[in-house]
Amino acid sequence: DDADRELRALEELRLSYLDALATAVVPRDRILCLLRIAELHLDLGARVRRVPYPAGATEAERGRFDDVLSQQALPLEAVGRGVLAQAVDYADTHSVDDRFARRARLYQRIHSGASLDLADLAVLRGELGARTFVAPRTLLEAGRIGQRAARR
């Protein structure tokens, strides 16, 4: 099944980042690993929330379906947010302010509902135009984590 194959591939990628995290000594590398692990969890949570409704579902059935999807996505999002917080804390502790530390901070601001300042907008523009280590687009949009907007 396609979903099982994708989950296995994501788990292999997550384990690769965990292995790299275990051996990384350079703060930038550790932050990158933490950020990518967080992105995997947050993006998968957003994907779960976007599973299409069953054909012909009534409004009530859609509401129940959303509740089920939410229960499946919440643990993924909680892990992602926790790992993201670790990345930001680690960056702050080690005075790292590179692209990946700024991306982690940007995610936190976007999804906390905080308004973005000019520096945040510059980081956002940079991430939207990035060609390497590209951020999942769904995570760069307000309201995507833990909300119904993730269905779009």
Side-chain angles (χ1 to χ4, degrees), residues 133-150:
F133 293 100
V134 178
R137 294 280 174 159
T138 56
L139 301 183
L140 293 173
E141 299 173 12
R144 293 306 233 187
I145 298 174
Q147 298 181 19
R148 292 304 325 136

Side-chain angles (χ1 to χ4, degrees), residues 24-107:
V25 292
V26 177
R28 179 191 184 277
D29 295 343
R30 293 185 63 78
I31 293 165
L32 174 59
C33 289
L34 288 167
L35 177 66
R36 294 309 246 176
I37 292 166
E39 286 175 337
L40 287 170
H41 286 86
L42 295 171
D43 188 51
L44 184 56
R47 289 172 186 248
V48 166
R49 289 179 182 277
R50 289 191 315 266
V51 169
Y53 292 118
T58 65
E59 274 306 307
E61 291 168 332
R62 286 180 177 209
R64 287 191 296 277
F65 191 70
D66 284 343
D67 290 343
V68 169
L69 293 179
S70 180
Q71 290 303 311
Q72 293 174 344
L74 284 172
L76 294 166
E77 294 162 350
V79 169
R81 284 180 170 161
V83 175
L84 191 60
Q86 289 176 31
V88 170
D89 289 344
Y90 192 85
D92 292 344
T93 300
H94 292 83
S95 301
V96 176
D97 189 37
D98 68 356
R99 174 182 171 202
F100 303 113
R102 288 188 298 270
R103 184 194 296 179
R105 289 183 192 104
L106 178 66
Y107 286 152

